[in-house]
Amino acid sequence: MSLGLAGIATLLALAAWQLDPGPPAWGLLALLIVMHVGALSLPLQLEIRRQAILITAGEIPFLFALFYLPPLWVIVARAAAGLLVHGFRWLTRRAKLLKAVFNVANSSVGVAIAVLATDALGIGPIGQVSTWLTLVLAVVIYLLVTQLCLGVIIGITEGNHNVDDLLQGIVSSLLIGLINAIIGLVSLLSVGVNRWAVVPLAVLLFLIFAAYRGYSNLVRQRRSLADLNEFTQSVAQAVQSNRLVDIMTHRLREMLNAEAATVWVPAEKRFPELKLTAYMDVEGLLDTTPIPEQLCQTVLSTGEPLLVTPKHGDEEHRRLLASEKVKDAIIVPLKSGGVTYGCLAVAVRLGGDLARFGRDDLTLLETLAAHAGVAVENSRLVDRLRFDAYHDALTELPNRRRTMNVLEESIALTVPNEIVAIMMFDVDSMREINDSIGHAAGDQLIVEVGRRLREAAPPGAHVGRIDGDEFAMVLRLPDASAAVELAGGIRQALQRPCTLGTLNVDIDSAVGIAVHPDSGDVADTLLQRADLATQTAKNVSSGIQLYNVGLESGSVRRLGLASDLRRAFDTGELHVHYQPKISLGGRKLVGVECLARWRHPTHGDVPPEDFIPVAEHTGLLGRLTEFVLRDGLSRLREWTTDKTQLGIAVNLSPRTLADPDFPALVADLLAEHEVEPSRLTLEITEDGMVNAGGRTPQTLGQLRDTGIRLAVDDFGKGYSSLSYLRNLPAQEIKIDKSFVQGMATDEGDLAIVRAVVDLARRFHMDVVAEGVESEMTLSLLTEMGCDIAQGFYFSRPLSADRFAAWMAAQASGGNPHPKLRAV
């Protein structure tokens, strides 16, 4: 289009030459060219969208040229001045060549059309009103033509054009052009009276221009203060409405008249990278930026602002901007307490190629960044507080509060053919890991469990950490059976070994499930019942338990037993029963196992699996252990004769081994009842022995050094390998009854029992088989070399009186195969 306008201007110039081909006064022509150059070099700039409208005082020399020069030379004077001004800007890279050509051609076409119209109307003496009107009309024609051409080129480059903006530009140009025309007419009249009037007129115009520049600066400063105040208020309101970045970037872009405004904060811990940009004519924010990342990194590392334009900044910075086709930019740091944590940036000053960011813009953006920096940091602090309020600090999973909110929201929405399930995962052996290899390793394990739960959870499931070693998952499923099946798959995913330093630790968990609406319709109730199901799951082989009403009654019953157990010690409700241990080599009675029993006045016989956990959680376990030891040792002394040297076995909890005073207590009891230490066997479960071996070796060592025998109870039920036997500080192994009872019919159980017996004999350890209930089982155990057996085949656990009678009956009957079924 620029070349087309240039062609039109040439044709119009030829037409003007035909009107008056005579030469001008060369001195006057040169003077008017100089006047045009001066006017064009000091433009006033109006901006429409991405383009600039340059309003100059060129109408004043234009009127002089119309009045004093032939038509062709009016066009030549204006074109020559345009070539000088715009050519210089192109040479100094302040303007693009195409735009310089367009500006020259556009003004030449406007001048040519105005000249032809003026010649058609005729110009008389300067004192005639008709001459004034003709000259003013020429200015109007010139402005209309140039503005219309500008509007067309803007519409082409933008793809569309806002008519209101175009009309506003035309009106503004006409207003200023008419003012210039009036000044030009007054100047012409003055020069017509006295040619030396040009001197005071030039001084007057200079003063008017200087006053305008001063006024513009004042207006700009006042506008900057007003914008700063408005920006501060907007930022304060934005923090409250959670729209800080959106409002802040858009306001920055508007205030600095930029094409884009960016806020960038690099990733930090749980907070992801924040990089959002407000672009002109784009609603909302985009996660891109026209600013090269290297410039942002420079500001972040140095904490110093950057102003990069063709006249400012390092050559490398200008090259980076040019590579992104960005003409100028300002990047300033965001600081909090002297620490730079991000940056604000604006790019591409609107107003055309001549418009550039300057030092004043840099100062303004730094001031805005100071306010924005505090607001952004406060916003991040608020976000951090909100996050911390609803998330676990270690795993960054939602915490109990957030999980309860999710559960409440889930059960509030009923979906046909769906249930809301809450699964609780209780990680086993966390206390032992913390005590044996440190809390740092325990924390690492908890983080790993949280990660595995997130990975194993189906889409849409909520995973949270409820307590120290408890996690919860809330999700929708078709039915309760689907919840049980899913829990099994997730539990299996958790069981993969976890590496903690140089150790590989097996992870296991108990899973309790409660579903809405079957298990309850209140979030607190569902969580409590899922927890109850979890406690029950610890005692079932699958490790998974779906809540049912029966669990509730048992839990309430155990809760009531807690207070009753304290009274039971004083009221004589607690008793010790004894189960015989038979040597398989000679089928002789060699000892008894002491088992606590509780006959409650209301509930009757309370199973040990109910009151032993109650004793552990109420701090009565030590007293219960002492009670069993004291009763067993006193009975052992009664039953000891010259022909009978029995031993007793007492079960211990791993918690008892954590008591440093326990070895001294046992030693005192042995001395009090005058029983040799070798006749006392303390039985500890396999898991308890393994964990205690790492946690309290001093306690175990003291017991062993006293001469007391240590036995691994329920071996095979835990998770230690057979090779661990050689590291256990024990002299005896009791094979779990689940393998013994099945060995007569299950080849797998038989192989396990045989392997344990063979390996134990290699380590010179005695083997006890518990749960013997048939002659076939007894024969198999005898054949493979098992040392001792106990079980219902010989006798159930008996009270002290009944056991004494049983023992007397065996002694008097002389039966080489003692067998008595107690009822």
Side-chain angles (χ1 to χ4, degrees):
M1 184 174 178
S2 299
L3 296 178
L5 285 175
I8 294 173
T10 303
L11 294 175
L12 292 174
L14 291 174
W17 181 70
Q18 294 293 330
L19 296 176
D20 185 1
W26 298 108
L28 180 60
L29 176 62
L31 176 62
L32 289 174
I33 291 175
V34 171
M35 291 176 63
H36 274 99
V37 170
L40 293 176
S41 299
L42 300 172
L44 304 177
Q45 185 171 294
L46 296 179
E47 297 168 358
I48 297 180
R49 298 171 70 83
R50 297 177 188 264
Q51 301 297 325
I53 299 176
L54 297 179
I55 304 299
T56 68
E59 291 82 7
I60 297 175
F62 175 52
L63 287 180
F64 275 86
L66 280 175
F67 189 78
Y68 287 110
L69 295 179
L72 172 63
W73 299 102
V74 176
I75 301 173
V76 171
R78 185 56 180 259
L83 286 173
L84 289 173
V85 173
H86 294 293
F88 177 77
R89 289 172 178 167
W90 172 67
L91 290 174
T92 56
R93 297 185 179 180
R94 295 175 59 193
K96 296 179 181 178
L97 177 61
L98 188 60
K99 189 164 187 179
V101 173
F102 169 78
N103 288 331
V104 174
N106 186 29
S107 62
S108 299
V109 169
V111 168
I113 294 176
V115 166
L116 294 176
T118 303
D119 186 79
L121 294 174
I123 298 178
I126 191 59
Q128 295 180 2
V129 175
S130 59
T131 300
W132 300 352
L133 295 177
T134 300
L135 293 175
V136 171
L137 178 61
V139 171
V140 172
I141 291 173
Y142 163 75
L143 293 174
L144 287 175
V145 170
T146 55
Q147 289 300 309
L148 287 174
C149 290
L150 182 61
V152 171
I153 196 67
I154 291 177
I156 292 174
T157 56
E158 293 292 324
N160 56 19
H161 191 68
N162 190 316
V163 177
D164 292 338
D165 289 343
L166 177 60
L167 292 177
Q168 183 180 356
I170 292 175
V171 171
S172 300
S173 298
L174 287 175
L175 179 60
I176 296 177
L178 289 174
I179 294 174
N180 288 335
I182 293 172
I183 295 174
L185 286 175
V186 173
S187 300
L188 279 172
L189 288 170
S190 301
V191 171
V193 174
N194 186 341
R195 293 193 176 189
W196 290 103
V198 70
V199 175
L201 285 174
V203 175
L204 177 62
L205 290 176
F206 175 79
L207 292 176
I208 292 174
F209 179 79
Y212 172 78
R213 292 293 296 270
Y215 174 75
S216 298
N217 291 334
L218 179 62
V219 170
R220 186 163 53 251
Q221 291 175 2
R222 294 188 61 181
R223 184 174 60 190
S224 297
L225 290 175
D227 287 344
L228 179 59
N229 180 58
E230 182 182 350
F231 177 81
T232 303
Q233 294 179 357
S234 299
V235 166
Q237 295 173 359
V239 172
Q240 299 176 2
S241 63
N242 287 331
R243 296 184 61 235
L244 173 63
V245 176
D246 191 351
I247 294 176
M248 180 180 68
T249 50
H250 279 288
R251 287 294 299 135
L252 282 176
R253 191 198 63 76
E254 293 172 0
M255 292 174 62
L256 287 159
N257 201 23
E259 183 178 293
T262 297
V263 58
W264 177 70
V265 179
E268 178 187 4
K269 295 182 180 179
R270 70 169 69 99
F271 294 101
E273 179 188 43
L274 173 65
K275 182 172 65 177
L276 295 172
T277 301
Y279 289 93
M280 187 179 67
D281 299 334
V282 176
E283 294 185 3
L285 301 174
L286 301 181
D287 58 355
T288 61
T289 177
I291 307 294
E293 185 174 344
Q294 296 93 319
L295 295 181
C296 295
Q297 291 287 359
T298 299
V299 172
L300 187 66
S301 60
T302 63
E304 297 296 329
L306 287 180
L307 171 61
V308 185
T309 71
K311 290 185 176 182
H312 302 90
D314 297 339
E315 182 63 31
E316 177 64 18
H317 295 163
R318 291 198 294 268
R319 186 190 63 78
L320 289 172
L321 273 189
S323 66
E324 300 292 335
K325 297 181 179 180
V326 177
K327 65 175 185 177
D328 55 351
I330 305 176
I331 308 101
V332 298
L334 287 173
K335 296 185 177 181
S336 175
V339 177
T340 301
Y341 65 87
C343 65
L344 280 181
V346 290
V348 186
R349 178 66 179 267
L350 295 176
D353 294 331
L354 298 181
R356 297 285 188 271
F357 292 119
R359 295 291 180 184
D360 292 341
D361 299 312
L362 174 61
T363 302
L364 175 60
L365 187 57
E366 285 186 293
T367 304
L368 297 175
H371 291 273
V374 175
V376 170
E377 184 63 16
N378 288 343
S379 178
R380 284 163 60 86
L381 178 59
V382 171
D383 291 341
R384 187 180 295 113
L385 291 175
R386 287 177 180 150
F387 186 92
D388 292 344
Y390 290 99
H391 289 79
D392 171 55
L394 178 62
T395 63
E396 296 188 0
L397 289 174
N399 59 13
R400 183 188 186 94
R401 182 185 295 108
R402 177 58 183 152
T403 300
M404 292 301 295
N405 291 344
V406 170
L407 184 57
E408 290 172 354
E409 293 168 1
S410 299
I411 64 179
L413 179 62
T414 302
V415 178
N417 302 320
E418 284 189 354
I419 54 99
V420 175
I422 176 169
M423 304 178 186
M424 287 198 65
F425 295 81
D426 190 311
V427 183
D428 289 349
S429 304
M430 277 305 305
R431 183 172 184 176
E432 288 76 11
I433 290 174
N434 286 332
D435 291 345
S436 58
I437 58 179
H439 286 273
D443 290 345
Q444 183 182 346
L445 179 62
I446 288 294
V447 172
E448 177 64 16
V449 171
R451 185 188 66 81
R452 293 185 183 184
L453 282 175
R454 282 196 300 264
E455 291 179 351
H462 169 91
V463 178
R465 184 186 181 195
I466 300 300
D467 205 349
D469 57 358
E470 293 181 344
F471 295 81
M473 184 180 297
V474 180
L475 70 168
R476 292 185 178 274
L477 292 169
D479 50 40
S481 61
V484 174
E485 181 179 357
L486 177 62
I490 296 176
R491 182 172 179 265
Q492 186 175 3
L494 291 178
Q495 289 176 336
R496 300 193 311 271
C498 174
T499 302
L500 300 179
T502 59
L503 300 177
N504 285 332
V505 178
D506 291 331
I507 303 176
D508 199 10
S509 62
V511 188
I513 306 171
V515 299
H516 172 270
D518 296 345
S519 303
D521 53 7
V522 178
D524 287 333
T525 302
L526 287 170
L527 185 64
Q528 180 265 327
R529 290 176 175 174
D531 186 36
L532 176 59
T534 304
Q535 302 308 315
T536 305
K538 295 179 180 180
N539 300 315
V540 299
S541 58
S542 66
I544 301 172
Q545 178 65 53
L546 179 65
Y547 171 81
N548 59 68
V549 179
L551 303 181
E552 190 77 31
S553 60
S555 175
V556 173
R557 179 168 176 255
R558 283 193 295 271
L559 185 62
L561 292 177
S563 59
D564 295 341
L565 183 59
R566 297 181 184 275
R567 186 191 67 250
F569 286 99
D570 302 324
T571 57
E573 298 172 13
L574 291 173
H575 306 278
V576 178
H577 284 199
Y578 300 89
Q579 187 173 33
K581 299 173 68 175
I582 307 300
S583 170
L584 297 186
R587 298 293 175 96
K588 295 190 302 182
L589 176 66
V590 295
V592 292
E593 181 176 4
C594 305
L595 302 167
R597 293 293 184 264
W598 182 13
R599 179 173 291 276
H600 194 279
T602 303
H603 301 298
D605 289 332
V606 180
E609 57 266 23
D610 281 353
F611 71 82
I612 297 297
V614 171
E616 289 182 341
H617 287 88
T618 56
L620 296 174
L621 185 61
R623 186 176 179 184
L624 179 62
T625 302
E626 182 181 354
F627 171 81
V628 174
L629 277 170
R630 190 178 294 278
D631 191 271
L633 291 173
S634 64
R635 301 292 182 182
L636 182 61
R637 185 177 179 183
E638 294 177 7
W639 298 331
T640 298
T641 63
D642 294 338
K643 297 181 179 180
T644 306
Q645 293 288 327
L646 300 180
I648 64 169
V650 177
N651 291 294
L652 293 185
S653 168
R655 293 192 179 187
T656 303
L657 293 177
D659 182 4
D661 297 329
F662 180 71
L665 172 65
V666 175
D668 292 342
L669 290 175
L670 289 171
E672 178 183 342
H673 295 91
E674 299 178 354
V675 175
E676 296 86 350
S678 60
R679 295 174 64 187
L680 173 62
T681 300
L682 299 178
E683 297 181 357
I684 310 164
T685 61
E686 178 188 351
D687 288 342
M689 178 71 77
V690 171
N691 293 326
R695 186 181 71 237
T696 54
Q698 184 177 1
T699 302
L700 290 172
Q702 290 175 349
L703 291 171
R704 184 177 53 193
D705 293 343
T706 305
I708 299 171
R709 291 173 57 85
L710 300 177
V712 183
D713 197 10
D714 298 335
F715 188 83
K717 187 178 180 181
Y719 299 99
S720 64
S721 63
L722 294 177
S723 63
Y724 199 83
L725 282 173
R726 63 181 179 180
N727 298 322
L728 295 180
Q731 296 86 27
E732 181 179 295
I733 289 178
K734 292 187 71 173
I735 305 174
D736 185 65
K737 65 180 180 181
S738 62
F739 300 108
V740 175
Q741 291 173 348
M743 61 183 290
T745 56
D746 188 296
E747 293 183 359
D749 289 343
L750 178 62
I752 291 175
V753 173
R754 189 182 301 276
V756 173
V757 172
D758 291 344
L759 196 58
R761 291 180 67 84
R762 291 179 182 273
F763 294 145
H764 307 290
M765 302 174 75
D766 295 334
V767 181
V768 178
E770 58 180 341
V772 177
E773 297 182 356
S774 68
E775 181 66 36
M776 181 178 294
T777 300
L778 189 63
S779 299
L780 290 172
L781 290 170
T782 304
E783 177 187 346
M784 64 181 62
C786 182
D787 299 300
I788 300 172
Q790 69 181 87
F792 288 0
Y793 180 78
F794 302 108
S795 173
R796 294 175 181 272
L798 303 172
S799 64
D801 294 340
R802 296 187 63 186
F803 176 77
W806 179 89
M807 187 169 55
Q810 302 307 307
S812 62
N815 188 353
H817 305 290
K819 178 179 177 182
L820 174 64
R821 295 188 181 276
V823 296

